[in-house]
Amino acid sequence: MAQSVDPNAKPPVVPFSSRLKTGRALALDVWSIYNAANLPTDCINLGQGYMNFPPPEWVKEAATAALATTVANHYSHPKGRIRLREAIRDYYAPYFPNLGRPLDVENEILVSSGANEGQYAVWTAFLEEGDEVILFEPYFDQYLPSITFNNGVPVYVPLHPPSESLASPTSADWTIDFDELRNAITPRTKMIVVNTPHNPVGKVFTREELEKIAAVAIEHNVLVMSDEVYETLTFDNTEHIRIATLPGMWERTVTVGSAGKMFACTGWRVGWLIGPPDIIRPTLAATTRIVFCSNSPLQEAAAAGLEEARERQFFETSVQEYAERRDILANAFRDLGLQFTLPEGSYFMLLDISRVQFPDDYPFPPTVQGRGRDFKAAWFIAQEVGVSTIPVSEFYCEEHQKIGERFIRFAFCKDADLLRQAAKRLARLKEFII
């Protein structure tokens, strides 16, 4: 991955840690390239996965109420505020039937400063130098530096995309070669990361797929991190299976959740981890030294969200609204005649841009030169069509980058009116399709 280096820059007075040279941490990342500052002022941003609509009113009101108290403006316990841990216990009670009891709020739940910090704390707690972590590609880009900063070594197993000849693929058509997974296991393998529903593919891993992953984890005595931050967003009656509920998996799985994804409040940075005491206890020791505690008043608001979500049928309504948003983009892609992956979960959709043609002499900026073809396609579409997206090769290792170059990622966590505007603009892409 190319890095932005000023040849005239003076060396730092005090050198920084060599760990920053790992995991693409110093590279000019995709979020910086496709930033609003670099794009046309009227460009519609469907690249980054943040919402353009607010959290539900009752959750915002709970935040306001918490701010009006004294206690919620001060430190929380590093485990998380007890109200939120109890709300997590109660909300997830139906989802861990394998336990035959409620979750233990003192030893099996840990609140984190967003899901990302919780994951970082797990890697801090468990990785020794040279330990290997298996990632299914494409992977959420924050995984990589979080692993390498903690002396881990990423090992990549690609999801295989559908054939270009398949007429109407869904995210289920992105498949795992389990021989490749087994061949990726070595004596240094410490963990497998499973992201379901998946960012950016939208894949919801099936029970059969998770059982096969579980069998590998049990056979080789490795941990599983199950990133389930999009758990409440599955479509078309697709079932979300928790790998921690499979036989033999509770004791080796940490499940990751996010209030930001659930309640459209990604800037609040409230997430949580669920797992056995043997995973939560060392992770608590790590997170206490990383952030000490998470945002107190917004933990109270997240608790209110979980406490009232079922009665209000909030997630059922949210899925219906997201399905409408998904359909707006899907219909736009059908009108273009381009292959796309209809997601079973999350709020991302991949478009195959193999047939999108742009001039060889188009004035691409240096930040895009030398990157995959998808980087150029995404830049061209942003400039000429006015819709920004994210190139998917960013979420692959260099060896597998060509797999991702077929695709760009659209985020449909936007209101329907904005998505309709984007769909109208995308119709202009027809003149560039071969």
Side-chain angles (χ1 to χ4, degrees), residues 196-197 204-205 226-228 231-232 234 238-242:
T196 180
V204 179
F205 284 60
S226 188
D227 183 346
E228 302 180 17
E231 62 188 285
T232 58
T234 60
T238 303
E239 184 181 11
H240 171 59
I241 306 293
R242 301 174 192 277

Side-chain angles (χ1 to χ4, degrees), residues 50-69:
Y50 62 82
M51 299 79 174
N52 73 331
F53 48 85
E57 282 300 317
W58 95 88
V59 177
K60 291 196 297 179
E61 289 168 1
T64 300
L67 285 166
T69 69

